[in-house]
Amino acid sequence: PPAEPLTELRQAGGVRTIVLNNPRRRNALSLPMLQSLRRDLLHDVKSRELRVIVIAAEGPVFCSGHDLKELSSEDDVKHHSQVFELCAEVMTLIQKLPVPVIAKVNGLATAAGCQLVASCDIAVASEKSQFATPGVNIGLFCSTPAVALGRSLPRKVALEMLFTGEPLSAQEALMHGLVSKVVPEDKLEEETMKISQKICESSKSVLALGKATFYRQITQDLDTAYKMTTKVMVDNLTLRDGQEGIEAFVQKRKPVWSH
């Protein structure tokens, strides 16, 4: 029989759900899995109908990180570079997309899987979820996951995870800012859709501008960030939806977005 697709894409009501669909391999980010995920993230991404992307997974492991079979000495340096470069491309792509991306985590997220959660704009996790960067235990320090982890967590928390490989519980991940919300497993779908539908009520063009600006300003010093965002606020007012939103507020009606 034909192999199951490594990722499944479904879309309804403005919400695209991409499901990592290789539970037998713990949804490892193999080269084919990364290629499939990138393809689904980029599919018709400029469509007005697409408003938010949710990344979910089949099975008890959200994502176990890289497929270690691809990183053995049987493959050469060129192949290893290809794996890590594509992974970095996918992680940075998530933040460059014009729509918010939500990680819907139900289970274990380790190494590059933890990196994937940290790279998403929002992360909703079930109470049973755990997060770890255990590469140090097998002699492969999680240096690329550390990029996303170090930008999501306090430095000492990130370094403890990286140095020990010990997992964070869902509640610890929430406390330290790796995830946005923790809910019972049976409420995970409901809570993720609630956030998604709220996002869908806003203008896609305004959200795209806001998301891009957020990631630009976060790496700048205070004065540069305010100078840049001041100009963006002015630019926002020139958008059709920027004017529509203000007019609707003044006229006490719901805005009609053009996106």
Side-chain angles (χ1 to χ4, degrees):
E4 289 279 319
L6 290 174
T7 61
E8 289 185 353
L9 183 156
R10 49 181 181 262
Q11 189 168 322
V15 181
R16 172 178 301 169
T17 301
I18 302 171
V19 181
L20 307 182
N21 187 40
N22 192 12
R24 285 180 298 176
R25 297 290 300 153
R26 297 161 63 89
N27 294 313
L29 293 179
S30 63
L31 198 58
M33 174 70 92
L34 286 165
Q35 290 165 339
S36 188
L37 178 56
R38 178 178 60 180
R39 184 167 56 248
D40 286 350
L41 286 168
L42 288 171
H43 175 72
D44 206 14
V45 75
K46 294 184 179 178
S47 163
R48 281 176 51 175
E49 280 65 49
L50 176 62
R51 313 299 300 288
V52 62
I53 294 173
V54 174
I55 299 177
E58 285 290 342
V61 176
F62 174 78
C63 179
S64 61
H66 290 293
D67 186 339
L68 295 181
K69 288 186 176 180
E70 289 186 333
L71 306 180
S72 70
S73 57
E74 293 174 15
D75 292 303
D76 58 16
V77 170
K78 184 178 178 182
H79 179 80
H80 296 163
S81 295
Q82 187 181 7
V83 171
F84 290 121
E85 286 167 6
L86 179 56
C87 185
E89 180 187 335
V90 169
M91 300 299 168
T92 54
L93 170 64
I94 288 169
Q95 294 183 355
K96 292 175 182 176
L97 292 172
V99 296
V101 180
I102 303 173
K104 175 186 167 188
V105 187
N106 188 30
L108 186 64
T110 61
C114 190
Q115 179 185 4
L116 179 58
V117 175
S119 299
C120 289
D121 304 310
I122 296 170
V124 185
S126 69
E127 292 171 333
K128 74 175 189 180
S129 298
Q130 289 187 304
F131 306 85
T133 48
V136 68
N137 297 330
I138 59 163
L140 182 64
F141 196 86
C142 286
S143 293
T144 46
V147 175
L149 213 62
R151 285 161 169 76
S152 296
L153 292 166
R155 182 177 299 181
K156 289 178 174 59
V157 177
L159 285 170
E160 183 179 344
M161 288 182 70
L162 291 160
F163 290 161
T164 68
E166 288 296 302
L168 289 184
S169 68
Q171 288 297 337
E172 288 171 324
L174 177 65
M175 178 173 67
H176 295 305
L178 181 58
V179 301
S180 326
K181 196 162 286 191
V182 173
V183 295
E185 185 178 4
D186 62 356
K187 298 288 185 185
L188 183 61
E189 173 68 17
E190 178 186 332
E191 189 60 40
T192 305
M193 288 308 299
K194 181 180 173 184
I195 296 170
S196 300
Q197 286 159 2
K198 184 63 181 175
I199 290 170
C200 288
E201 294 175 9
S202 298
S203 160
K204 179 172 182 175
S205 54
V206 170
L207 280 172
L209 178 64
K211 176 175 172 174
T213 303
F214 178 86
Y215 285 113
R216 281 176 60 202
Q217 65 84 23
I218 204 72
T219 60
Q220 297 173 337
D221 66 79
L222 196 64
D223 289 340
T224 305
Y226 269 121
K227 186 174 182 179
M228 186 268 287
T229 54
T230 296
K231 182 180 184 304
V232 170
M233 293 289 283
V234 174
D235 292 343
N236 194 154
L237 288 171
T238 68
L239 294 177
R240 187 188 305 176
D241 282 350
Q243 286 300 312
E244 166 61 16
I246 291 173
E247 288 173 12
F249 179 82
V250 171
Q251 296 168 11
K252 294 182 172 59
R253 61 174 175 83
K254 287 194 74 172
V256 180
W257 305 122
S258 67
H259 306 295

